[in-house]
Amino acid sequence: MTIRRLVAAMILATASGSVLAEQSFTVQDIQVEGLQRVALGAALNNLPFNVGDTITEYNLSRSIRTLYAAGHFDDIQVFRDGNTIIYRLRERPTINAIEFDGNKDIKEDQLTESLAGNKVEVGEPLDKTILKNIETGLTEFYHGVGKYQAAVDIEIVYLPRNRVNLKVKFTEGDAASIRQINIVGNKLFSNDELLKNIESKQDLPWWRFMSSDRYQKQTLQGDIEKITSYYLDRGYLRFKLDSSQVSVSPDKTSVYVTLNITEGEQYTVKGVKFVGDLIGKDEFIKAILPIEDNQLYNGALVTYTEESIARLLARFGYANSKVRTIPQINDDTKEVELTISVDPGKRVYVRRINVAGNNSTQDEVVRRELRQMEGAWLSNDSLELSKDRIQRLPYIESVSYDTVPVPGIDDQVDVGFKVKEQPSGSFNAGISYGNYMGLSFQIGVQQENFFGTGNSAGISVNTNKYQKSVSVNYTDPYFTLDGISLGGQVFYSELDYSKQSANLEAYNYQRYGFGANMGYPINEYNRLNFGANYVVNKINSVNEYDQLRHFRAILLESNNPDGGYNFTNYELSAGWVQSTLNRGLFPTAGHYFGWNIKVTTPNSDLQFFKSNFEARKYIPLSNDHAWSFLSKLELGYGNGYGNKNGYDHTLPFTENFYAGGQNVRGFESRIIGPHAIYRTPSSIPGIPDINAGSNGYTNDLDTDTYFVSDRSFGGNAMAILTLEMITPTPFLSDDYRNSVRTSIFLDAGNVWDTEFDINRYANLSVNNSLGFKQPELADYSDPTLIRATAGVSLQWISPMGPLTFSLAKVIKKYEGDKQENFSFNIGTTF
């Protein structure tokens, strides 16, 4: 319309004689009408002439094009009054707001970003000519995801002061389903055999509601590549897709896909040769070459070979190498000779390494985990190892890196590591009440990144009806530059079970001391740990049960049988850890092996050792690690060594292993394993001999009775197995995958006492006069009394620490076990 006005104005001006064709004149004045938002100076700056210039009508025409190109005006008219030029302009309206309605498949953030790329955003002038293109582009997007009924309409609402609101209305409709996929030309493989390898599904029955037969253009393109690879991996080198058609039903609810293919014949590999520069690794590369003569051509194997050579070159700094395979095909003999061309390019060096995203963590803490050094050649292995080491830090959620070429230099890059932090500590607190524990209160803070230094520090306070404890610890993982760690702890605890009812083990236990620990790295994955503790123990008011007879005989003074047990231990510990886990918290790949042994020195009051072993293996089941399988094994064993006054040392009951609660979910805490056995002799017991058969201790008399405690006091041996399927969390965005984890688990295990002898109680009778139901006596030395549970678990790394929710069903239990189907823990992860 604007062009028609311009032409009409020119014709009118020519007819009236006000402007003569090709007649030049001198501009005396320029007037501009219709400006509102655009400043006069800005408009005049776009004109190709000024006052005083001599121009022709060609210059006037050119000025109209120039003003349009500025992008501020919808309509431009130019008139001449003598030597005065008059411009009448209508400005483009300013976008006041953009509203979206009906969009479900496309998020508003994506729409806003896409419109901004077309210069359609709030505060900018509106170019109406591009709105139609936007409508068409959005409609084509919906068609690409199978929504052929979709429509997009952009409505312009005019406002005062030359402003407009844009309302983008979406009618998405339902996605078209794939009614049928036809493959034409296949003789070697059936349709079913080919279709089972692709993602697109056809005409699914209603009961397969977990699958989708929705048509998507991008998915179909990927499926075509999979079919092509299927043939190439089986030697059909001449396979090709002749054509593909997608037909839409009249009601636009279904599509029919037809693929026309030519299968060709199988080809075998005649030989493999190399051209180019193998950087002196010729023999090594040829030795690991997976392609052999006279085998069927395999496209996947060829691609793997190219990638392997490229990765090898990247280890030595050739990050931009080009490796490609050139086939020389003999159609007569159906053979192919492969020529692998290797161009390593220039060796690339790292100029600078930048770290970003570490808002709480000091830069040095991240950099000390780097294995790619500045000034060294760029190595993909070093970059990946650096990424893994940073990601294993418990206060780092994720790590990514990129390489940026240095401008003007073709053999240098800058490397940028971007980290995403997560809560670096755990805060566990709680108040609860129960018949067994009474009113409980606990509070603790464990900070794995103390003030951003990467050092670990923590304090915990725990109190309930029976227990009071406090501990403080601190560890510097890089006490020396080469990664030797040093730490220490101070602790105090007091357990008062002396007021327990008769069916529970009762005692009063005080324990305090201090210790130090040191770690030494062997290599990137293995580490040795050493420690020493000084521990003072005081046990009083012990409700003596039969399994304590050796413990009692060694510690109790004969002239003060009511004096309790006081003993001081000097503990030495050593351990080994091997970890290839890809993350510190919520790993999805790699393994962890940890072994630790603690031994008291011969000059300690009690001589014993205690050993623990833990193995975890994560196997990713999908490329994005959304699905992963975890197998976990925990083993423990402890016992005494040496003897005192003819009595063998045993593992003190305060060091026993326990099961239930966190390690065997579905059972109450510390319920699995040996129970205390209380004997009621016919005379007052004294200090027993090694056989517990004299000095007033009537173990062998038929008049003795016994009862079994309600809860387990633990055992000196433990074995627990966990199998866990880690799954995507339903209804949760992938953005939270590293902080929220859902899993389906199976726990099984047992705790037993290798020193227990059930024959000691064969001739004794059960005391049934106590007024409560007691568990039946079992063989607590039997490791096969395995408990098993299955359930689901949800773990969340919250701002106050890891939270774990578990819902479990007991599969196997024994008489006396107490269930806890739902559990909630703060500060613990699996």
Side-chain angles (χ1 to χ4, degrees):
M1 183 176 67
T2 303
I3 296 177
R4 290 198 299 268
R5 290 179 179 177
L6 175 61
V7 172
M10 290 298 184
I11 294 174
L12 181 62
T14 302
S16 62
S18 58
V19 178
L20 298 177
E22 301 303 328
Q23 182 179 357
S24 62
F25 62 96
T26 301
V27 178
Q28 294 182 349
D29 190 17
I30 300 175
Q31 298 179 8
V32 180
E33 300 175 359
L35 293 179
Q36 298 181 25
R37 180 178 55 86
V38 181
L40 177 61
L44 294 176
N45 285 337
N46 290 308
L47 296 177
F49 54 82
N50 297 310
V51 173
D53 291 345
T54 300
I55 64 172
T56 65
E57 287 193 12
Y58 170 77
N59 299 111
L60 290 178
S61 300
R62 182 183 172 193
S63 69
I64 294 175
R65 291 194 298 269
T66 305
L67 286 172
Y68 268 120
H72 299 298
F73 307 106
D74 262 347
D75 189 32
I76 301 173
Q77 299 182 47
V78 59
F79 302 92
R80 175 183 171 189
D81 185 6
N83 290 341
T84 299
I85 306 300
I86 303 172
Y87 288 93
R88 292 178 181 172
L89 311 175
R90 187 171 76 239
E91 292 183 355
R92 287 179 176 174
T94 302
I95 301 175
N96 179 67
I98 303 176
E99 302 175 9
F100 304 104
D101 181 42
N103 57 303
K104 295 180 181 178
D105 279 7
I106 311 178
K107 297 180 180 180
E108 289 194 6
D109 292 343
Q110 294 175 312
L111 287 170
T112 302
E113 183 179 353
S114 177
L115 292 178
N118 288 281
K119 297 182 180 180
V120 178
E121 53 186 329
V122 175
E124 293 296 320
L126 173 63
D127 184 359
K128 298 177 185 178
T129 61
I130 66 174
L131 294 184
K132 189 62 178 178
N133 293 335
I134 294 174
E135 290 175 343
T136 302
L138 291 173
T139 303
E140 289 177 351
F141 165 79
Y142 281 107
H143 290 178
V145 297
K147 292 196 172 184
Y148 290 100
Q149 298 174 329
V152 181
D153 179 61
I154 302 178
E155 178 184 346
I156 302 175
V157 180
Y158 291 92
L159 303 174
R161 301 193 303 277
N162 201 27
R163 296 175 300 132
V164 295
N165 285 346
L166 297 182
K167 291 186 177 181
V168 187
K169 297 182 178 180
F170 296 84
T171 303
E172 293 187 339
D174 296 326
S177 60
I178 301 177
R179 182 59 56 87
Q180 190 172 10
I181 302 176
N182 299 310
I183 302 179
V184 181
N186 56 311
K187 299 178 182 178
L188 300 168
F189 304 102
S190 66
N191 280 15
D192 292 340
E193 190 171 357
L194 295 175
L195 295 180
K196 72 180 181 181
N197 296 299
I198 66 176
E199 292 186 33
S200 298
K201 305 300 178 184
Q202 61 177 353
D203 201 19
L204 292 175
W206 64 268
W207 59 83
R208 294 188 61 182
F209 57 90
M210 295 297 291
S211 302
S212 175
D213 56 5
R214 173 178 175 174
Y215 169 74
Q216 295 194 57
K217 183 178 180 180
Q218 289 183 341
T219 303
L220 180 61
Q221 292 297 326
D223 291 338
I224 292 174
E225 293 180 5
K226 289 181 179 179
I227 293 175
T228 302
S229 298
Y230 189 84
Y231 277 92
L232 291 179
D233 295 348
R234 287 157 179 79
Y236 296 95
L237 190 56
R238 290 296 193 186
F239 171 86
K240 65 177 179 177
L241 176 72
D242 298 318
S243 63
S244 62
Q245 297 91 31
V246 178
S247 303
V248 184
S249 63
D251 60 0
K252 299 182 180 180
T253 61
S254 303
V255 298
Y256 298 82
V257 179
T258 302
L259 305 178
N260 295 284
I261 66 173
T262 299
E263 292 178 319
E265 297 186 40
Q266 287 181 311
Y267 286 75
T268 57
V269 177
K270 180 182 180 182
V272 182
K273 62 181 180 180
F274 292 87
V275 295
D277 184 6
L278 300 183
I279 64 169
K281 305 294 181 181
D282 307 51
E283 297 301 323
F284 179 76
I285 292 176
K286 293 176 182 178
I288 64 172
L289 185 69
I291 304 175
E292 299 178 358
D293 288 353
N294 300 320
Q295 73 177 84
L296 285 176
Y297 176 84
N298 188 314
L301 203 58
V302 171
T303 301
Y304 172 77
T305 301
E306 294 173 346
E307 293 174 349
S308 299
I309 296 174
R311 285 196 299 268
L312 176 66
L313 297 175
R315 290 176 56 186
F316 298 95
Y318 298 96
N320 300 320
S321 63
K322 297 178 181 179
V323 182
R324 62 190 183 97
T325 302
I326 306 169
Q328 295 176 329
I329 303 173
N330 189 327
D331 291 319
D332 295 330
T333 62
K334 299 300 182 289
E335 293 177 331
V336 56
E337 183 178 4
L338 302 178
T339 301
I340 301 178
S341 173
V342 180
D343 178 13
K346 285 189 175 181
R347 177 172 278 177
V348 179
Y349 293 85
V350 176
R351 183 186 70 166
R352 184 180 297 113
I353 297 178
N354 302 308
V355 179
N358 53 321
N359 301 319
S360 301
T361 307
Q362 296 178 8
D363 202 63
E364 175 191 357
V365 175
V366 178
R367 288 184 176 274
R368 66 192 183 191
E369 303 296 335
L370 296 179
R371 293 303 179 263
Q372 173 67 66
M373 299 291 105
E374 294 179 342
W377 68 57
L378 180 68
S379 169
N380 284 355
D381 285 356
S382 298
L383 289 175
E384 284 297 320
L385 181 58
S386 300
K387 176 184 174 181
D388 289 344
R389 289 186 61 87
I390 297 172
Q391 205 160 245
R392 288 188 199 125
L393 298 174
Y395 38 88
I396 299 298
E397 179 178 331
S398 62
V399 183
S400 61
Y401 66 84
D402 59 359
T403 57
V404 181
V406 177
I409 305 177
D410 59 358
D411 62 349
Q412 290 188 17
V413 296
D414 291 337
V415 178
F417 281 90
K418 185 177 182 180
V419 303
K420 182 180 180 182
E421 297 175 315
Q422 63 187 6
S424 58
S426 62
F427 172 78
N428 47 4
I431 299 177
S432 62
Y433 181 82
N435 293 331
Y436 172 63
M437 299 300 292
L439 182 64
S440 300
F441 170 75
Q442 62 177 354
I443 184 171
V445 178
Q446 182 67 38
Q447 178 61 253
E448 301 296 337
N449 189 17
F450 190 63
F451 289 120
T453 62
N455 298 340
S456 172
I459 181 172
S460 66
V461 178
N462 211 330
T463 179
N464 55 49
K465 182 178 179 180
Y466 305 109
Q467 179 181 4
K468 297 177 182 178
S469 66
V470 59
S471 65
V472 180
N473 65 81
Y474 189 86
T475 301
D476 183 354
Y478 275 84
F479 183 72
T480 65
L481 293 178
D482 52 1
I484 294 178
S485 64
L486 184 65
Q489 62 276 342
V490 179
F491 50 88
Y492 172 84
S493 65
E494 181 178 349
L495 297 173
D496 187 5
Y497 290 161
S498 60
K499 298 179 182 179
Q500 294 274 28
S501 59
N503 67 327
L504 296 176
E505 66 279 11
Y507 60 93
N508 180 286
Y509 178 36
Q510 290 185 351
R511 181 176 183 267
Y512 60 88
F514 58 88
N517 56 79
M518 181 185 70
Y520 180 79
I522 302 175
N523 53 37
E524 298 293 348
Y525 305 105
N526 293 273
R527 188 178 188 87
L528 295 177
N529 298 307
F530 304 95
N533 288 320
Y534 170 79
V535 185
V536 177
N537 302 268
K538 297 180 180 181
I539 302 178
N540 297 292
S541 304
V542 180
N543 191 357
E544 303 285 355
Y545 51 92
D546 195 50
Q547 291 98 322
L548 292 182
R549 60 187 183 278
H550 279 239
F551 184 74
R552 173 184 174 88
I554 289 175
L555 290 178
L556 200 61
E557 297 180 7
S558 59
N559 58 354
N560 186 19
D562 298 324
Y565 309 119
N566 300 320
F567 53 98
T568 300
N569 291 332
Y570 303 91
E571 300 174 351
L572 300 177
S573 64
W576 161 73
V577 172
Q578 182 184 92
S579 176
T580 64
L581 300 178
N582 62 337
R583 299 188 67 242
L585 289 176
F586 290 173
T588 56
H591 69 261
Y592 171 91
F593 297 136
W595 172 79
N596 183 74
I597 185 170
K598 177 174 66 175
V599 181
T600 59
T601 60
N603 61 327
S604 300
D605 292 333
L606 291 179
Q607 299 173 12
F608 66 89
F609 65 90
K610 183 179 179 180
S611 180
N612 303 73
F613 175 77
E614 178 183 350
R616 283 181 284 151
K617 175 67 175 179
Y618 292 85
I619 303 175
L621 303 179
S622 59
N623 291 332
D624 60 355
H625 290 206
W627 294 81
S628 185
F629 180 75
L630 162 65
S631 58
K632 178 181 177 182
L633 177 65
E634 293 181 85
L635 301 175
Y637 177 73
N639 215 326
Y641 70 91
N643 60 76
K644 180 179 179 181
N645 301 326
Y647 299 99
D648 290 336
H649 283 275
T650 59
L651 184 71
F653 69 96
T654 57
E655 295 286 344
N656 278 349
F657 298 100
Y658 297 90
Q662 297 180 13
N663 53 5
V664 182
R665 291 158 282 188
F667 289 96
E668 285 190 7
S669 179
R670 297 188 173 190
I671 197 65
I672 298 174
H675 291 232
I677 302 174
Y678 295 91
R679 297 175 61 129
T680 305
S682 58
S683 62
I684 299 175
I687 299 178
D689 63 11
I690 189 171
N691 297 313
S694 64
N695 202 12
Y697 207 92
T698 58
N699 292 341
D700 299 327
L701 298 181
D702 294 338
T703 56
D704 279 7
T705 60
Y706 72 89
F707 68 88
V708 181
S709 70
D710 191 47
R711 305 191 73 84
S712 170
F713 72 93
N716 72 325
M718 176 190 70
I720 296 175
L721 174 67
T722 294
L723 302 177
E724 201 155 354
M725 177 71 72
I726 300 167
T727 67
T729 304
F731 314 112
L732 197 66
S733 169
D734 287 345
D735 297 338
Y736 299 96
R737 181 186 302 171
N738 292 330
S739 58
V740 179
R741 166 168 288 183
T742 307
S743 61
I744 304 170
F745 65 82
L746 173 67
D747 291 341
N750 187 27
V751 171
W752 66 97
D753 182 0
T754 61
E755 301 298 319
F756 182 77
D757 182 9
I758 195 172
N759 294 325
R760 286 176 47 82
Y761 312 98
N763 297 322
L764 303 184
S765 59
V766 180
N767 188 343
N768 292 317
S769 63
L770 300 177
F772 58 84
K773 184 180 180 180
Q774 56 181 292
E776 293 183 2
L777 178 63
D779 186 358
Y780 299 131
S781 67
D782 186 358
T784 65
L785 300 179
I786 297 173
R787 281 76 165 175
T789 65
V792 295
S793 179
L794 175 68
Q795 299 106 41
W796 172 37
I797 303 178
S798 71
M800 63 179 180
L803 306 181
T804 303
F805 305 85
S806 298
L807 183 63
K809 178 177 176 57
V810 174
I811 299 175
K812 179 66 175 178
K813 69 174 183 175
Y814 290 89
E815 198 274 335
D817 293 342
K818 297 180 182 295
Q819 297 181 207
E820 187 179 59
N821 299 101
F822 177 77
S823 62
F824 165 66
N825 294 292
I826 303 178
T828 303
T829 58
F830 298 94

